[in-house]
Amino acid sequence: MAANTHHKSHNQRSSEDYMKKLTAVWLMAMAMIAAGHAATFFVAPNGDDANPGSLAKPFASPAYARDAIRAAKLHGDKGPFAVELRGGVYALNETILLTPEDSGTAEAPVIWRAHAQENAVISGGRVIGGFRESTENGLRRWSVELPNFKNGTQPFRQLFVSTTEQAFERRYRPMLGMKRVDAVTESPRREGARHRAAQRDFYFAPGDFQAWENLSDVEVVVLHVWSSSRLRVQQVDTRKNIVTFTGRPTFAVDQDGLQPYFIENVKEELKSPGQWYLDRPSGVLTYLPCAGETLTNTRIVAPRLVNVMVCQSAAHIEFHGLTFSHNEAPLPHDGYGGSQGQADLPAAIELNGARNCALVRCEVSRVGSYGIGMGAGSHSNRVIGCRLFDLGGGGVKIGDLRMTASADYPVLPTGNRIENCAISDGGLMYFSANAIWGGFSRGTVLRHNQIWNFPYSGIALGWSWNDTPTGCASNRIEYNSISNVIALLADGASIYTLGRQPGTVIRGNVVRDTVRSPFAKHDWQLGLYLDEGSAGMLVENNFVFNVGTHGFNSNGGAQNVVRNNIFGPVHGKLEPFIRFHKKSYTRANVFTRNLCYLDSTNLTDAAWDKTLCDCRSNLYWNCAGLPLLFQTNSFTEWQAGGQDAGSLNADPLFEDPAHGDFRLKKSSPAFALGFEPFDYTVAGLEPEFRGVAAAVKIAAPPCYAMKLPGPRPFTGFAIEFDDVAVSRLPRGFTCNGGRPEATFQVADGIGKNGHHALAATTTRKAAKPFYPYVTYRIPENLDHGTVRFACDVRQKADAPAFLDIGFRDYSKRGNPSKEFTSLPGVTFALDGTIKSASGVLAKAALGTWTHVEISFPLTGDNRTASIAVTMADGSRKQVSAPMAAAFKALSSLGFFCNDSADGACYFDNLKLEYKP
């Protein structure tokens, strides 16, 4: 027998201690019941867990009340049970965990409620005291040493401050920005789609980063098109102007252009009242107090728990009138780059596998992640009349990113409801989080909610980017009022869907008043957006007004019926007002009895075939008096092509659209089309819940007030191919006419220095005679100044390839009828002959390096280009070539081969200099 077998295990001792505790709690519970008390246990901040849990002698901790109910059940009491919390703040040491043993029944649910409408706050934070005040540079500073955080414990990243009798307000760490990614390096990228080609570093503009103290605690927040990343800094190279991170973001930093970013938590930038900084090496927390804040009237809370409460597989538990606050969303070592919707964030309250649980008129506020999460296996749960605000992430999420598209009951969440909730001011730290996010779910009901002030989408439902059937179905998004969302990012919507969802209904919603973010490249802040494979839905009786780009957008949708909606003006005047984008599976959409009221000209993105979208009995009216075009067709031509039978181009006769009254006059021609009037004023909170949306004070992230600098002027590039990975193209170059790895790629052992160079491989009878070619697109058309270009070229000795090096103007300023205008360049024939516009320059010996130089002015009269070649033996030939008058701007540099031979040529030491 082993020597230590007579010792009880830790688990055994813990179990025995727990049973003793439950027995003691049960004895107190029985004493209460025997004395005539109902099975209601009371908790108060000034209580004592040695008390019996009565109103006169309450417990101190919510967890002890939970254990009292467990004890009563264990000894045969069937309840019903309730927990009442007196007003005050309950700072938890650990998450409240409710499991099946804490469940109630359908007839007798366990109720957790605030006592007599008192304000009971269940907090995942801790109050920090012991501050000392000093003055530095004319600013008051409060400092306290927190030894637990000295180079060790995961630091808190939020701080909440309250003065006497006032609600807590969020305070922010120092921030620098807004800034722009200056360029991308040649570092390895993540494999996959272009927008996911993320890397661990980028170039910054000179001076944007410094070798700050505590560099590893600095966070860089990158705004991608529809998401954001929080990256930890690993190192800063102020000589090369490269910042390197501990991990990659989810998306590329040159997705749809070079991304904006700001820098957070820089110790040296702690300069303004309301800012704070936790110095981890010393463990000192410093806060710069605001006016009116004193050491005696101010409370400061820092989060410490990721979850305030978790219901794990529990059932029939209800929460009434409680407030949940102050949770943390720790930043992983490799940073955070969550995908669209950022639904992998935790939630302050998590219902995982919970059934028939409810939060009624509760508040979830001042949290670092999502407010409420309903995970896999959650069924028939309700969130009713709740107020969610001051959210680091989103409001409510339903589903789990780890679920597969084929998930079904009981894993697939079903029958969950979110009704009459006011959800605002979210995404304060994680900007892509949604007010309500639903992945794969069935029978979800989202109705009569009021949503406003989010940096990304309001309601997002679905998690499949194609038409493949999933368990997602029969969801209802009805009578919600959504405004001022997508305020920081783009390519989102007030209501956004993904994937096939047969039986889903989007009805009676009012979505309006989105404002283009100054940091977004385009106006894609939409109202209703059926994205990527959205199919099988009914969209009716919605009012869309004053949104970003499209009145309605279906990107690859199928079998959707869009009817009886009012689509009002949009900000993005150049985009089509209605969009049905075709994909391979797109078919059988119906667009009927809709009122399209716009002040831009283009109605459609294409001449839709009726099998894609059947339009009929719609009314179109340009309220600005502009021509009405369907791509390039007039309304008459559009109808002659087979679309919009019975439709009208006529004033709908709204009562007073200039002042927001979109009721129809009795004489409206819309009635003749079968349009059925609907009361759009009923969207949002129902009358008995309208008080839920009472105004609250929110400290918005400072990044909203930042100004985005213009792009740094283009000055050219110099490419050291030894920095470029083998089989890759240099950043900024695009290959056409073949796969990059087969036609243009960096290879080793072929460079002028014996190492890396760019190789072009050609084959006979390519798909087009000018294939392959590679181009570098100038970030902006250069229309003044001087350009100087140089490179080294070598044709393969035994198998040369044809090459043409040229410059193009795609601006169409000189000749709008031509796609581009060319500038004189140089060509290398298969025998090594080098030509320019003025004739033969020289003949290079195959297999040797030739240095090419081309320079030209972009302004002036009688412009000429200077072209020079230097051969391997040192001989040099230079000529001048006249430039076409139509060449007004430089748009791109290209290296063009052809299909005349199976051969190869090589490039090294590429350099382009631009001087304005």
Side-chain angles (χ1 to χ4, degrees), residues 382-431:
R382 294 163 290 138
V383 182
I384 309 296
C386 291
R387 181 70 169 101
L388 291 83
F389 66 93
D390 199 341
L391 309 164
V396 184
K397 61 175 183 170
I398 303 169
D400 191 315
L401 292 182
R402 294 168 294 185
M403 292 167 50
T404 64
S406 60
D408 205 344
Y409 187 88
V411 174
L412 182 75
T414 65
N416 297 293
R417 305 175 71 90
I418 304 169
E419 302 181 57
N420 282 295
C421 293
I423 308 175
S424 75
D425 302 284
L428 302 184
M429 295 179 67
Y430 298 97
F431 300 118

Side-chain angles (χ1 to χ4, degrees), residues 725-899:
V726 170
S727 301
R728 300 292 185 185
L729 272 175
R731 301 285 190 255
F733 285 81
T734 303
C735 179
N736 295 272
R739 295 175 294 120
E741 64 271 20
T743 52
F744 277 94
Q745 64 172 333
V746 170
D748 194 17
I750 61 170
K752 194 170 183 180
N753 64 358
H755 300 299
H756 289 189
L758 181 64
T761 304
T762 63
T763 58
R764 295 176 185 270
K765 298 181 180 180
K768 295 182 179 180
F770 50 83
Y771 278 169
Y773 65 91
V774 68
T775 55
Y776 179 89
R777 196 71 180 248
I778 309 297
E780 55 185 318
N781 288 312
L782 307 178
D783 57 7
H784 62 283
T786 303
V787 176
R788 298 182 182 276
F789 168 77
C791 73
D792 294 308
V793 177
R794 176 170 67 93
Q795 292 173 289
K796 191 175 182 180
D798 57 348
F802 172 85
L803 173 66
D804 177 9
I805 303 174
F807 300 87
R808 290 182 175 179
D809 173 7
Y810 283 92
S811 71
K812 298 188 176 183
R813 298 176 189 175
N815 189 344
S817 64
K818 293 186 65 176
E819 180 185 2
F820 62 85
T821 302
S822 294
L823 181 84
V826 295
T827 61
F828 285 73
L830 295 179
D831 64 354
T833 300
I834 306 172
K835 298 180 180 180
S836 73
S838 59
V840 174
L841 283 172
K843 188 171 183 179
L846 296 177
T848 64
W849 287 98
T850 300
H851 185 66
V852 177
E853 298 175 44
I854 303 173
S855 62
F856 52 90
L858 290 167
T859 52
D861 299 326
N862 302 316
R863 293 173 299 153
T864 59
S866 173
I867 302 172
V869 293
T870 302
M871 315 307 291
D873 61 3
S875 61
R876 176 181 172 87
K877 181 66 181 279
Q878 181 172 342
V879 297
S880 295
M883 298 171 58
F887 193 95
K888 299 293 186 182
L890 176 61
S891 302
S892 72
L893 160 69
F895 300 87
F896 306 89
C897 298
N898 65 25
D899 65 348

Side-chain angles (χ1 to χ4, degrees), residues 362-530:
C362 290
E363 177 184 305
V364 184
S365 60
R366 304 172 184 98
V367 297
S369 57
Y370 269 86
I372 302 170
M374 300 182 192
S378 294
H379 305 286
S380 301
N381 300 296
R382 294 163 290 138
V383 182
I384 309 296
C386 291
R387 181 70 169 101
L388 291 83
F389 66 93
D390 199 341
L391 309 164
V396 184
K397 61 175 183 170
I398 303 169
D400 191 315
L401 292 182
R402 294 168 294 185
M403 292 167 50
T404 64
S406 60
D408 205 344
Y409 187 88
V411 174
L412 182 75
T414 65
N416 297 293
R417 305 175 71 90
I418 304 169
E419 302 181 57
N420 282 295
C421 293
I423 308 175
S424 75
D425 302 284
L428 302 184
M429 295 179 67
Y430 298 97
F431 300 118
S432 184
N434 305 128
I436 300 176
W437 177 88
F440 296 122
S441 66
R442 185 164 60 238
T444 299
V445 176
L446 312 174
R447 64 185 299 274
H448 281 293
N449 299 291
Q450 186 170 334
I451 294 169
W452 70 102
N453 293 356
F454 272 81
Y456 191 51
S457 296
I459 294 174
L461 200 56
W463 200 248
S464 174
W465 279 259
N466 53 56
D467 192 38
T468 302
T470 72
C472 197
S474 302
N475 300 303
R476 288 164 50 199
I477 306 174
E478 297 180 323
Y479 308 109
N480 301 284
S481 175
I482 306 174
S483 61
N484 194 38
V485 295
I486 329 146
L488 198 65
L489 303 176
D491 203 0
S494 299
I495 297 177
Y496 175 92
T497 65
L498 281 169
R500 175 168 285 278
Q501 301 183 40
T504 289
V505 176
I506 303 174
R507 175 189 292 129
N509 303 282
V510 172
V511 297
R512 60 181 303 160
D513 300 329
T514 63
V515 179
R516 177 177 175 176
S517 162
F519 313 120
K521 188 175 181 180
H522 44 60
D523 287 291
W524 275 53
Q525 293 85 33
L526 309 179
L528 301 181
Y529 188 175
L530 275 56

Side-chain angles (χ1 to χ4, degrees), residues 74 241 283 328 378 399 507 737 749 894:
L74 191 64
N241 293 329
E328 185 60 272
S378 294
R507 175 189 292 129

Side-chain angles (χ1 to χ4, degrees), residues 480 482 493-495 506 508-514 525-530 539-553 562 564-571 577-578 591 594-598 654 662 678 680 683:
N480 301 284
I482 306 174
S494 299
I495 297 177
I506 303 174
N509 303 282
V510 172
V511 297
R512 60 181 303 160
D513 300 329
T514 63
Q525 293 85 33
L526 309 179
L528 301 181
Y529 188 175
L530 275 56
V539 181
E540 67 176 4
N541 295 1
N542 300 285
F543 177 39
V544 180
F545 180 74
N546 197 29
V547 298
T549 303
H550 311 289
F552 177 80
N553 182 17
V562 183
N564 218 82
N565 301 281
I566 301 174
F567 298 116
V570 299
H571 303 314
F577 186 74
I578 304 296
F591 189 81
N594 299 291
L595 309 186
C596 297
Y597 186 80
L598 62 152
F654 294 122
F662 282 80
F678 57 90
Y680 56 83

